[in-house]
Amino acid sequence: MTTTTTQRTSPPAVAAPPPPRRRPAAGVVGRTLRYGVLLLFLLIVLMPAYVLVVTSFKSGSDIGVNGQWNLPEQWSTESWAKAWEALGPSFVRTFQLAVPVALISSLLGAANGFVLSRWRFPGADVVFTLILFGMFIPYQAVMIPLRDVVSTLGIAPGIPTLIFVHCVYGIPICTLIFRNYYATTVPVEMVEAAWVDGAGLIRTFRSIILPVSIPGFVVAVIWQFTSAWNDYLFAIFLSNTRNGPITIALNALAGAQSPDYAASMAGALITSLPTLVVYVFLGRWFIGGLMAGSVKS
């Protein structure tokens, strides 16, 4: 008769978790210094904005060099009403300028970028270099010839002229943005598959490339909208206060013989509000679009 002895095996001991590592004192001090420096720079950047906002709500008696940091004794929106009365018509005209410029130049840049990145015709690099050369021509050097060209073409002065000029000058930067995006982000297999299925160049661009170009369009549209909205040099040469954008009207408001500083500050805030809203709501897509064309996947 055989007796079987069963041995119970105890479960393996569970290792105790290592004690939490303490951050060295030098690391805590370094991080505190970094945040302190960043906070200092933030305060320096926000100081002019604070003076701008506070002054726009002051009355004439509260405005002065000695009291520019003080809060208004009595908050008033009279300066905002005066500024809007002076800038309202040009505010609408500037939207009529910036929106078409952003859309038209972005579409032209997308078409150029697609052709230069996926259709390697002879001399493509030379054409791309010549297009980019337009980015490095100073605006001041072409103002007089540009006025002659616009007059010869018979384009109506004011907003139509500025739309034409900004679209032309926006083509180089938009072409660069989209060429880099298509060359590094859009797979070449997508284009080849469309060509195998019988799609031509235009059909491929319209049906395959445009739907995947949203990050590039976000970057180009924001860039062109901001450039057209903030432009003053083209506006002062090619328009006037009656048919020009808001930068011309703001200069007229702030450059009077006896300027109203509160109204000027309110006008500056009104002028900068659309671009501020664009960057606040679309800023993360703007950064994502820039990064989308930065490295090859």
Side-chain angles (χ1 to χ4, degrees):
M1 185 174 180
T2 305
T3 303
T4 303
T5 304
T6 303
Q7 296 180 352
R8 294 183 178 180
T9 58
S10 58
V14 179
R21 297 178 60 184
R22 295 184 177 180
R23 295 181 180 272
V28 176
V29 173
R31 187 173 62 174
T32 303
L33 288 176
R34 284 198 301 270
Y35 283 116
V37 172
L38 290 175
L39 181 60
L40 176 62
F41 284 138
L42 178 63
L43 292 176
I44 293 175
V45 170
L46 292 180
M47 282 166 54
Y50 168 79
V51 175
L52 202 66
V53 173
V54 169
T55 306
S56 67
F57 289 99
K58 290 181 178 180
S59 60
S61 58
D62 294 337
I63 300 174
V65 177
N66 297 328
Q68 60 181 341
W69 300 102
N70 300 334
L71 293 174
E73 296 181 1
Q74 184 177 1
W75 295 78
S76 173
T77 58
E78 181 181 352
S79 300
W80 285 81
K82 180 179 179 180
W84 179 251
E85 183 180 357
L87 302 179
S90 60
F91 189 86
V92 176
R93 287 196 299 267
T94 311
F95 268 108
Q96 297 172 351
L97 164 67
V99 173
V101 165
L103 296 178
I104 295 173
S105 56
S106 297
L107 284 172
L108 293 176
N112 291 339
F114 172 64
V115 170
L116 293 172
S117 63
R118 296 307 183 197
W119 185 33
R120 303 301 299 171
F121 59 89
D125 293 335
V126 176
V127 172
F128 180 59
T129 303
L130 292 176
I131 291 176
L132 291 187
F133 184 72
M135 296 172 54
F136 304 102
I137 300 177
Y139 294 167
Q140 297 86 345
V142 297
M143 280 302 166
I144 296 178
L146 188 60
R147 293 187 65 173
D148 294 339
V149 169
V150 170
S151 300
T152 302
L153 294 176
I155 304 175
I159 298 302
T161 297
L162 293 175
I163 290 176
F164 171 75
V165 171
H166 279 290
C167 286
V168 171
Y169 269 88
I171 288 176
I173 183 62
C174 291
T175 301
L176 176 64
I177 291 172
F178 281 101
R179 182 184 182 275
N180 291 343
Y181 178 75
Y182 293 146
T184 59
T185 303
V186 178
V188 68
E189 290 80 9
M190 293 178 59
V191 180
E192 293 176 350
W195 290 346
V196 169
D197 291 340
L201 187 67
I202 298 178
R203 177 66 181 276
T204 301
F205 176 70
R206 185 181 69 248
S207 302
I208 304 298
I209 298 301
L210 283 182
V212 299
S213 302
I214 301 301
F217 271 101
V218 170
V219 175
V221 166
I222 291 178
W223 184 279
Q224 285 299 101
F225 181 90
T226 306
S227 299
W229 188 278
N230 294 332
D231 172 67
Y232 178 75
L233 186 60
F234 282 144
I236 197 65
F237 268 85
L238 302 174
S239 65
N240 51 53
T241 55
R242 297 185 303 275
N243 57 19
I246 196 169
T247 50
I248 300 291
L250 179 62
N251 179 69
L253 176 65
Q257 293 293 334
S258 56
D260 186 339
Y261 291 104
S264 300
M265 300 295 181
L269 290 172
I270 293 173
T271 303
S272 61
L273 185 61
T275 53
L276 179 63
V277 170
V278 166
Y279 274 105
V280 167
F281 287 98
L282 300 178
R284 61 191 184 98
W285 286 283
F286 181 76
I287 300 299
L290 286 176
M291 294 297 102
S294 61
V295 294
K296 187 175 182 62
S297 56

PDB file of all heavy atoms in Angstrom, residues 85-120:
ATOM      1  N   GLU A  85     -18.513 104.105 -33.821  1.00  0.00           N
ATOM      2  CA  GLU A  85     -19.101 105.003 -34.814  1.00  0.00           C
ATOM      3  C   GLU A  85     -18.092 105.372 -35.888  1.00  0.00           C
ATOM      4  O   GLU A  85     -18.444 105.494 -37.072  1.00  0.00           O
ATOM      5  CB  GLU A  85     -19.619 106.270 -34.120  1.00  0.00           C
ATOM      6  CG  GLU A  85     -20.317 107.243 -35.053  1.00  0.00           C
ATOM      7  CD  GLU A  85     -20.804 108.485 -34.329  1.00  0.00           C
ATOM      8  OE1 GLU A  85     -20.645 108.555 -33.087  1.00  0.00           O
ATOM      9  OE2 GLU A  85     -21.354 109.370 -34.994  1.00  0.00           O
ATOM     10  N   ALA A  86     -16.828 105.517 -35.488  1.00  0.00           N
ATOM     11  CA  ALA A  86     -15.792 105.866 -36.459  1.00  0.00           C
ATOM     12  C   ALA A  86     -15.294 104.660 -37.245  1.00  0.00           C
ATOM     13  O   ALA A  86     -14.901 104.798 -38.409  1.00  0.00           O
ATOM     14  CB  ALA A  86     -14.611 106.531 -35.727  1.00  0.00           C
ATOM     15  N   LEU A  87     -15.297 103.471 -36.625  1.00  0.00           N
ATOM     16  CA  LEU A  87     -14.700 102.297 -37.249  1.00  0.00           C
ATOM     17  C   LEU A  87     -15.712 101.317 -37.822  1.00  0.00           C
ATOM     18  O   LEU A  87     -15.311 100.378 -38.523  1.00  0.00           O
ATOM     19  CB  LEU A  87     -13.832 101.549 -36.221  1.00  0.00           C
ATOM     20  CG  LEU A  87     -12.701 102.333 -35.562  1.00  0.00           C
ATOM     21  CD1 LEU A  87     -11.961 101.452 -34.570  1.00  0.00           C
ATOM     22  CD2 LEU A  87     -11.742 102.874 -36.609  1.00  0.00           C
ATOM     23  N   GLY A  88     -16.999 101.488 -37.526  1.00  0.00           N
ATOM     24  CA  GLY A  88     -18.006 100.509 -37.932  1.00  0.00           C
ATOM     25  C   GLY A  88     -18.023 100.201 -39.416  1.00  0.00           C
ATOM     26  O   GLY A  88     -17.935  99.028 -39.819  1.00  0.00           O
ATOM     27  N   PRO A  89     -18.140 101.212 -40.300  1.00  0.00           N
ATOM     28  CA  PRO A  89     -18.161 100.902 -41.744  1.00  0.00           C
ATOM     29  C   PRO A  89     -16.892 100.212 -42.232  1.00  0.00           C
ATOM     30  O   PRO A  89     -16.956  99.267 -43.015  1.00  0.00           O
ATOM     31  CB  PRO A  89     -18.344 102.287 -42.396  1.00  0.00           C
ATOM     32  CG  PRO A  89     -18.976 103.123 -41.326  1.00  0.00           C
ATOM     33  CD  PRO A  89     -18.391 102.641 -40.039  1.00  0.00           C
ATOM     34  N   SER A  90     -15.742 100.669 -41.767  1.00  0.00           N
ATOM     35  CA  SER A  90     -14.488 100.035 -42.200  1.00  0.00           C
ATOM     36  C   SER A  90     -14.331  98.641 -41.600  1.00  0.00           C
ATOM     37  O   SER A  90     -13.655  97.783 -42.182  1.00  0.00           O
ATOM     38  CB  SER A  90     -13.302 100.920 -41.809  1.00  0.00           C
ATOM     39  OG  SER A  90     -13.246 101.105 -40.405  1.00  0.00           O
ATOM     40  N   PHE A  91     -14.936  98.409 -40.446  1.00  0.00           N
ATOM     41  CA  PHE A  91     -14.901  97.069 -39.847  1.00  0.00           C
ATOM     42  C   PHE A  91     -15.573  96.063 -40.781  1.00  0.00           C
ATOM     43  O   PHE A  91     -15.047  94.963 -41.020  1.00  0.00           O
ATOM     44  CB  PHE A  91     -15.613  97.121 -38.494  1.00  0.00           C
ATOM     45  CG  PHE A  91     -15.476  95.870 -37.673  1.00  0.00           C
ATOM     46  CD1 PHE A  91     -14.384  95.687 -36.841  1.00  0.00           C
ATOM     47  CD2 PHE A  91     -16.437  94.883 -37.716  1.00  0.00           C
ATOM     48  CE1 PHE A  91     -14.257  94.538 -36.077  1.00  0.00           C
ATOM     49  CE2 PHE A  91     -16.334  93.737 -36.957  1.00  0.00           C
ATOM     50  CZ  PHE A  91     -15.228  93.563 -36.133  1.00  0.00           C
ATOM     51  N   VAL A  92     -16.717  96.429 -41.330  1.00  0.00           N
ATOM     52  CA  VAL A  92     -17.422  95.548 -42.273  1.00  0.00           C
ATOM     53  C   VAL A  92     -16.615  95.395 -43.559  1.00  0.00           C
ATOM     54  O   VAL A  92     -16.497  94.287 -44.106  1.00  0.00           O
ATOM     55  CB  VAL A  92     -18.824  96.111 -42.562  1.00  0.00           C
ATOM     56  CG1 VAL A  92     -19.539  95.265 -43.615  1.00  0.00           C
ATOM     57  CG2 VAL A  92     -19.644  96.168 -41.280  1.00  0.00           C
ATOM     58  N   ARG A  93     -16.024  96.475 -44.050  1.00  0.00           N
ATOM     59  CA  ARG A  93     -15.224  96.392 -45.274  1.00  0.00           C
ATOM     60  C   ARG A  93     -14.018  95.490 -45.085  1.00  0.00           C
ATOM     61  O   ARG A  93     -13.597  94.790 -46.027  1.00  0.00           O
ATOM     62  CB  ARG A  93     -14.776  97.790 -45.705  1.00  0.00           C
ATOM     63  CG  ARG A  93     -15.873  98.655 -46.286  1.00  0.00           C
ATOM     64  CD  ARG A  93     -15.283  99.845 -47.027  1.00  0.00           C
ATOM     65  NE  ARG A  93     -14.497 100.699 -46.156  1.00  0.00           N
ATOM     66  CZ  ARG A  93     -14.974 101.761 -45.518  1.00  0.00           C
ATOM     67  NH1 ARG A  93     -16.252 102.087 -45.648  1.00  0.00           N
ATOM     68  NH2 ARG A  93     -14.189 102.496 -44.758  1.00  0.00           N
ATOM     69  N   THR A  94     -13.436  95.487 -43.896  1.00  0.00           N
ATOM     70  CA  THR A  94     -12.271  94.650 -43.664  1.00  0.00           C
ATOM     71  C   THR A  94     -12.635  93.167 -43.693  1.00  0.00           C
ATOM     72  O   THR A  94     -11.844  92.334 -44.149  1.00  0.00           O
ATOM     73  CB  THR A  94     -11.616  95.011 -42.321  1.00  0.00           C
ATOM     74  OG1 THR A  94     -11.457  96.427 -42.242  1.00  0.00           O
ATOM     75  CG2 THR A  94     -10.249  94.363 -42.194  1.00  0.00           C
ATOM     76  N   PHE A  95     -13.825  92.818 -43.207  1.00  0.00           N
ATOM     77  CA  PHE A  95     -14.298  91.437 -43.369  1.00  0.00           C
ATOM     78  C   PHE A  95     -14.478  91.107 -44.845  1.00  0.00           C
ATOM     79  O   PHE A  95     -14.149  89.995 -45.281  1.00  0.00           O
ATOM     80  CB  PHE A  95     -15.612  91.237 -42.616  1.00  0.00           C
ATOM     81  CG  PHE A  95     -15.424  90.746 -41.214  1.00  0.00           C
ATOM     82  CD1 PHE A  95     -15.660  91.578 -40.132  1.00  0.00           C
ATOM     83  CD2 PHE A  95     -14.996  89.450 -40.961  1.00  0.00           C
ATOM     84  CE1 PHE A  95     -15.487  91.131 -38.832  1.00  0.00           C
ATOM     85  CE2 PHE A  95     -14.817  88.988 -39.674  1.00  0.00           C
ATOM     86  CZ  PHE A  95     -15.070  89.830 -38.604  1.00  0.00           C
ATOM     87  N   GLN A  96     -14.997  92.060 -45.623  1.00  0.00           N
ATOM     88  CA  GLN A  96     -15.149  91.842 -47.055  1.00  0.00           C
ATOM     89  C   GLN A  96     -13.799  91.680 -47.750  1.00  0.00           C
ATOM     90  O   GLN A  96     -13.735  91.082 -48.836  1.00  0.00           O
ATOM     91  CB  GLN A  96     -15.915  93.012 -47.680  1.00  0.00           C
ATOM     92  CG  GLN A  96     -17.331  93.155 -47.167  1.00  0.00           C
ATOM     93  CD  GLN A  96     -18.008  94.426 -47.651  1.00  0.00           C
ATOM     94  OE1 GLN A  96     -17.363  95.304 -48.244  1.00  0.00           O
ATOM     95  NE2 GLN A  96     -19.306  94.540 -47.409  1.00  0.00           N
ATOM     96  N   LEU A  97     -12.746  92.167 -47.133  1.00  0.00           N
ATOM     97  CA  LEU A  97     -11.389  92.001 -47.661  1.00  0.00           C
ATOM     98  C   LEU A  97     -10.754  90.699 -47.184  1.00  0.00           C
ATOM     99  O   LEU A  97     -10.249  89.905 -47.992  1.00  0.00           O
ATOM    100  CB  LEU A  97     -10.521  93.192 -47.237  1.00  0.00           C
ATOM    101  CG  LEU A  97      -9.008  93.031 -47.349  1.00  0.00           C
ATOM    102  CD1 LEU A  97      -8.593  92.920 -48.809  1.00  0.00           C
ATOM    103  CD2 LEU A  97      -8.289  94.178 -46.644  1.00  0.00           C
ATOM    104  N   ALA A  98     -10.761  90.474 -45.879  1.00  0.00           N
ATOM    105  CA  ALA A  98      -9.969  89.385 -45.310  1.00  0.00           C
ATOM    106  C   ALA A  98     -10.523  88.004 -45.648  1.00  0.00           C
ATOM    107  O   ALA A  98      -9.750  87.064 -45.898  1.00  0.00           O
ATOM    108  CB  ALA A  98      -9.874  89.553 -43.788  1.00  0.00           C
ATOM    109  N   VAL A  99     -11.836  87.843 -45.668  1.00  0.00           N
ATOM    110  CA  VAL A  99     -12.418  86.515 -45.929  1.00  0.00           C
ATOM    111  C   VAL A  99     -12.146  86.057 -47.363  1.00  0.00           C
ATOM    112  O   VAL A  99     -11.653  84.933 -47.565  1.00  0.00           O
ATOM    113  CB  VAL A  99     -13.930  86.528 -45.612  1.00  0.00           C
ATOM    114  CG1 VAL A  99     -14.570  85.208 -46.032  1.00  0.00           C
ATOM    115  CG2 VAL A  99     -14.136  86.748 -44.109  1.00  0.00           C
ATOM    116  N   PRO A 100     -12.423  86.854 -48.402  1.00  0.00           N
ATOM    117  CA  PRO A 100     -12.076  86.387 -49.758  1.00  0.00           C
ATOM    118  C   PRO A 100     -10.580  86.173 -49.947  1.00  0.00           C
ATOM    119  O   PRO A 100     -10.184  85.216 -50.627  1.00  0.00           O
ATOM    120  CB  PRO A 100     -12.591  87.515 -50.662  1.00  0.00           C
ATOM    121  CG  PRO A 100     -13.626  88.209 -49.869  1.00  0.00           C
ATOM    122  CD  PRO A 100     -13.164  88.133 -48.451  1.00  0.00           C
ATOM    123  N   VAL A 101      -9.753  87.024 -49.371  1.00  0.00           N
ATOM    124  CA  VAL A 101      -8.305  86.844 -49.500  1.00  0.00           C
ATOM    125  C   VAL A 101      -7.875  85.510 -48.918  1.00  0.00           C
ATOM    126  O   VAL A 101      -7.096  84.753 -49.525  1.00  0.00           O
ATOM    127  CB  VAL A 101      -7.566  88.013 -48.819  1.00  0.00           C
ATOM    128  CG1 VAL A 101      -6.095  87.670 -48.602  1.00  0.00           C
ATOM    129  CG2 VAL A 101      -7.682  89.269 -49.650  1.00  0.00           C
ATOM    130  N   ALA A 102      -8.370  85.186 -47.723  1.00  0.00           N
ATOM    131  CA  ALA A 102      -7.979  83.933 -47.079  1.00  0.00           C
ATOM    132  C   ALA A 102      -8.409  82.726 -47.900  1.00  0.00           C
ATOM    133  O   ALA A 102      -7.639  81.764 -48.064  1.00  0.00           O
ATOM    134  CB  ALA A 102      -8.564  83.872 -45.668  1.00  0.00           C
ATOM    135  N   LEU A 103      -9.631  82.753 -48.437  1.00  0.00           N
ATOM    136  CA  LEU A 103     -10.138  81.596 -49.178  1.00  0.00           C
ATOM    137  C   LEU A 103      -9.481  81.460 -50.552  1.00  0.00           C
ATOM    138  O   LEU A 103      -9.046  80.373 -50.944  1.00  0.00           O
ATOM    139  CB  LEU A 103     -11.657  81.706 -49.325  1.00  0.00           C
ATOM    140  CG  LEU A 103     -12.453  81.664 -48.017  1.00  0.00           C
ATOM    141  CD1 LEU A 103     -13.951  81.833 -48.299  1.00  0.00           C
ATOM    142  CD2 LEU A 103     -12.196  80.371 -47.261  1.00  0.00           C
ATOM    143  N   ILE A 104      -9.395  82.560 -51.293  1.00  0.00           N
ATOM    144  CA  ILE A 104      -8.870  82.493 -52.659  1.00  0.00           C
ATOM    145  C   ILE A 104      -7.389  82.129 -52.665  1.00  0.00           C
ATOM    146  O   ILE A 104      -6.949  81.232 -53.397  1.00  0.00           O
ATOM    147  CB  ILE A 104      -9.111  83.828 -53.391  1.00  0.00           C
ATOM    148  CG1 ILE A 104     -10.607  84.069 -53.571  1.00  0.00           C
ATOM    149  CG2 ILE A 104      -8.413  83.841 -54.745  1.00  0.00           C
ATOM    150  CD1 ILE A 104     -10.940  85.445 -54.124  1.00  0.00           C
ATOM    151  N   SER A 105      -6.598  82.812 -51.851  1.00  0.00           N
ATOM    152  CA  SER A 105      -5.158  82.523 -51.832  1.00  0.00           C
ATOM    153  C   SER A 105      -4.874  81.124 -51.306  1.00  0.00           C
ATOM    154  O   SER A 105      -3.922  80.468 -51.751  1.00  0.00           O
ATOM    155  CB  SER A 105      -4.423  83.568 -50.999  1.00  0.00           C
ATOM    156  OG  SER A 105      -4.957  83.639 -49.690  1.00  0.00           O
ATOM    157  N   SER A 106      -5.690  80.627 -50.374  1.00  0.00           N
ATOM    158  CA  SER A 106      -5.492  79.261 -49.872  1.00  0.00           C
ATOM    159  C   SER A 106      -5.794  78.232 -50.955  1.00  0.00           C
ATOM    160  O   SER A 106      -5.061  77.240 -51.106  1.00  0.00           O
ATOM    161  CB  SER A 106      -6.371  79.019 -48.643  1.00  0.00           C
ATOM    162  OG  SER A 106      -6.006  79.868 -47.577  1.00  0.00           O
ATOM    163  N   LEU A 107      -6.860  78.441 -51.718  1.00  0.00           N
ATOM    164  CA  LEU A 107      -7.179  77.513 -52.803  1.00  0.00           C
ATOM    165  C   LEU A 107      -6.100  77.528 -53.884  1.00  0.00           C
ATOM    166  O   LEU A 107      -5.698  76.460 -54.386  1.00  0.00           O
ATOM    167  CB  LEU A 107      -8.536  77.869 -53.408  1.00  0.00           C
ATOM    168  CG  LEU A 107      -9.769  77.465 -52.592  1.00  0.00           C
ATOM    169  CD1 LEU A 107     -11.031  78.043 -53.215  1.00  0.00           C
ATOM    170  CD2 LEU A 107      -9.866  75.946 -52.502  1.00  0.00           C
ATOM    171  N   LEU A 108      -5.626  78.713 -54.253  1.00  0.00           N
ATOM    172  CA  LEU A 108      -4.555  78.790 -55.242  1.00  0.00           C
ATOM    173  C   LEU A 108      -3.273  78.145 -54.723  1.00  0.00           C
ATOM    174  O   LEU A 108      -2.573  77.434 -55.453  1.00  0.00           O
ATOM    175  CB  LEU A 108      -4.298  80.252 -55.616  1.00  0.00           C
ATOM    176  CG  LEU A 108      -5.423  80.976 -56.367  1.00  0.00           C
ATOM    177  CD1 LEU A 108      -5.066  82.438 -56.579  1.00  0.00           C
ATOM    178  CD2 LEU A 108      -5.692  80.297 -57.700  1.00  0.00           C
ATOM    179  N   GLY A 109      -2.957  78.380 -53.448  1.00  0.00           N
ATOM    180  CA  GLY A 109      -1.772  77.757 -52.874  1.00  0.00           C
ATOM    181  C   GLY A 109      -1.899  76.249 -52.797  1.00  0.00           C
ATOM    182  O   GLY A 109      -0.911  75.520 -53.010  1.00  0.00           O
ATOM    183  N   ALA A 110      -3.115  75.733 -52.511  1.00  0.00           N
ATOM    184  CA  ALA A 110      -3.319  74.286 -52.470  1.00  0.00           C
ATOM    185  C   ALA A 110      -3.121  73.672 -53.852  1.00  0.00           C
ATOM    186  O   ALA A 110      -2.491  72.605 -53.986  1.00  0.00           O
ATOM    187  CB  ALA A 110      -4.717  73.974 -51.938  1.00  0.00           C
ATOM    188  N   ALA A 111      -3.652  74.319 -54.879  1.00  0.00           N
ATOM    189  CA  ALA A 111      -3.471  73.801 -56.236  1.00  0.00           C
ATOM    190  C   ALA A 111      -1.998  73.815 -56.632  1.00  0.00           C
ATOM    191  O   ALA A 111      -1.477  72.825 -57.177  1.00  0.00           O
ATOM    192  CB  ALA A 111      -4.306  74.629 -57.216  1.00  0.00           C
ATOM    193  N   ASN A 112      -1.311  74.914 -56.359  1.00  0.00           N
ATOM    194  CA  ASN A 112       0.116  74.977 -56.679  1.00  0.00           C
ATOM    195  C   ASN A 112       0.916  73.938 -55.897  1.00  0.00           C
ATOM    196  O   ASN A 112       1.810  73.280 -56.434  1.00  0.00           O
ATOM    197  CB  ASN A 112       0.664  76.377 -56.379  1.00  0.00           C
ATOM    198  CG  ASN A 112       0.129  77.422 -57.326  1.00  0.00           C
ATOM    199  OD1 ASN A 112      -0.341  77.108 -58.424  1.00  0.00           O
ATOM    200  ND2 ASN A 112       0.173  78.674 -56.920  1.00  0.00           N
ATOM    201  N   GLY A 113       0.613  73.811 -54.609  1.00  0.00           N
ATOM    202  CA  GLY A 113       1.347  72.861 -53.786  1.00  0.00           C
ATOM    203  C   GLY A 113       1.147  71.430 -54.241  1.00  0.00           C
ATOM    204  O   GLY A 113       2.095  70.621 -54.228  1.00  0.00           O
ATOM    205  N   PHE A 114      -0.077  71.075 -54.661  1.00  0.00           N
ATOM    206  CA  PHE A 114      -0.324  69.719 -55.141  1.00  0.00           C
ATOM    207  C   PHE A 114       0.450  69.440 -56.426  1.00  0.00           C
ATOM    208  O   PHE A 114       1.083  68.390 -56.577  1.00  0.00           O
ATOM    209  CB  PHE A 114      -1.818  69.522 -55.368  1.00  0.00           C
ATOM    210  CG  PHE A 114      -2.165  68.237 -56.049  1.00  0.00           C
ATOM    211  CD1 PHE A 114      -1.894  67.020 -55.443  1.00  0.00           C
ATOM    212  CD2 PHE A 114      -2.747  68.242 -57.307  1.00  0.00           C
ATOM    213  CE1 PHE A 114      -2.199  65.830 -56.083  1.00  0.00           C
ATOM    214  CE2 PHE A 114      -3.060  67.062 -57.943  1.00  0.00           C
ATOM    215  CZ  PHE A 114      -2.782  65.847 -57.333  1.00  0.00           C
ATOM    216  N   VAL A 115       0.400  70.380 -57.353  1.00  0.00           N
ATOM    217  CA  VAL A 115       1.102  70.168 -58.624  1.00  0.00           C
ATOM    218  C   VAL A 115       2.610  70.076 -58.406  1.00  0.00           C
ATOM    219  O   VAL A 115       3.283  69.195 -58.961  1.00  0.00           O
ATOM    220  CB  VAL A 115       0.758  71.309 -59.604  1.00  0.00           C
ATOM    221  CG1 VAL A 115       1.648  71.248 -60.837  1.00  0.00           C
ATOM    222  CG2 VAL A 115      -0.706  71.232 -60.011  1.00  0.00           C
ATOM    223  N   LEU A 116       3.159  70.945 -57.571  1.00  0.00           N
ATOM    224  CA  LEU A 116       4.605  70.970 -57.376  1.00  0.00           C
ATOM    225  C   LEU A 116       5.108  69.817 -56.517  1.00  0.00           C
ATOM    226  O   LEU A 116       6.302  69.508 -56.535  1.00  0.00           O
ATOM    227  CB  LEU A 116       5.014  72.302 -56.736  1.00  0.00           C
ATOM    228  CG  LEU A 116       4.821  73.540 -57.624  1.00  0.00           C
ATOM    229  CD1 LEU A 116       5.078  74.801 -56.814  1.00  0.00           C
ATOM    230  CD2 LEU A 116       5.747  73.484 -58.824  1.00  0.00           C
ATOM    231  N   SER A 117       4.240  69.181 -55.747  1.00  0.00           N
ATOM    232  CA  SER A 117       4.683  68.079 -54.897  1.00  0.00           C
ATOM    233  C   SER A 117       4.452  66.709 -55.524  1.00  0.00           C
ATOM    234  O   SER A 117       5.183  65.762 -55.231  1.00  0.00           O
ATOM    235  CB  SER A 117       3.961  68.139 -53.545  1.00  0.00           C
ATOM    236  OG  SER A 117       2.563  67.974 -53.711  1.00  0.00           O
ATOM    237  N   ARG A 118       3.431  66.573 -56.397  1.00  0.00           N
ATOM    238  CA  ARG A 118       3.092  65.262 -56.935  1.00  0.00           C
ATOM    239  C   ARG A 118       3.238  65.143 -58.451  1.00  0.00           C
ATOM    240  O   ARG A 118       3.211  64.047 -58.981  1.00  0.00           O
ATOM    241  CB  ARG A 118       1.647  64.910 -56.552  1.00  0.00           C
ATOM    242  CG  ARG A 118       1.413  64.762 -55.065  1.00  0.00           C
ATOM    243  CD  ARG A 118       2.381  63.788 -54.446  1.00  0.00           C
ATOM    244  NE  ARG A 118       2.119  63.583 -53.022  1.00  0.00           N
ATOM    245  CZ  ARG A 118       2.993  63.048 -52.195  1.00  0.00           C
ATOM    246  NH1 ARG A 118       4.182  62.685 -52.642  1.00  0.00           N
ATOM    247  NH2 ARG A 118       2.699  62.894 -50.920  1.00  0.00           N
ATOM    248  N   TRP A 119       3.354  66.255 -59.130  1.00  0.00           N
ATOM    249  CA  TRP A 119       3.530  66.203 -60.584  1.00  0.00           C
ATOM    250  C   TRP A 119       4.902  66.783 -60.918  1.00  0.00           C
ATOM    251  O   TRP A 119       5.078  67.976 -61.012  1.00  0.00           O
ATOM    252  CB  TRP A 119       2.427  66.990 -61.297  1.00  0.00           C
ATOM    253  CG  TRP A 119       2.492  66.866 -62.783  1.00  0.00           C
ATOM    254  CD1 TRP A 119       2.902  65.797 -63.517  1.00  0.00           C
ATOM    255  CD2 TRP A 119       2.143  67.879 -63.739  1.00  0.00           C
ATOM    256  NE1 TRP A 119       2.823  66.054 -64.848  1.00  0.00           N
ATOM    257  CE2 TRP A 119       2.359  67.328 -65.025  1.00  0.00           C
ATOM    258  CE3 TRP A 119       1.658  69.173 -63.637  1.00  0.00           C
ATOM    259  CZ2 TRP A 119       2.114  68.042 -66.196  1.00  0.00           C
ATOM    260  CZ3 TRP A 119       1.405  69.888 -64.784  1.00  0.00           C
ATOM    261  CH2 TRP A 119       1.632  69.325 -66.055  1.00  0.00           C
ATOM    262  N   ARG A 120       5.874  65.894 -61.065  1.00  0.00           N
ATOM    263  CA  ARG A 120       7.255  66.323 -61.234  1.00  0.00           C
ATOM    264  C   ARG A 120       7.547  66.587 -62.708  1.00  0.00           C
ATOM    265  O   ARG A 120       8.152  65.779 -63.416  1.00  0.00           O
ATOM    266  CB  ARG A 120       8.208  65.257 -60.687  1.00  0.00           C
ATOM    267  CG  ARG A 120       7.986  64.908 -59.234  1.00  0.00           C
ATOM    268  CD  ARG A 120       8.124  66.113 -58.342  1.00  0.00           C
ATOM    269  NE  ARG A 120       9.461  66.684 -58.444  1.00  0.00           N
ATOM    270  CZ  ARG A 120       9.807  67.844 -57.911  1.00  0.00           C
ATOM    271  NH1 ARG A 120       8.901  68.574 -57.273  1.00  0.00           N
ATOM    272  NH2 ARG A 120      11.042  68.278 -58.034  1.00  0.00           N
TER     273      ARG A 120
END
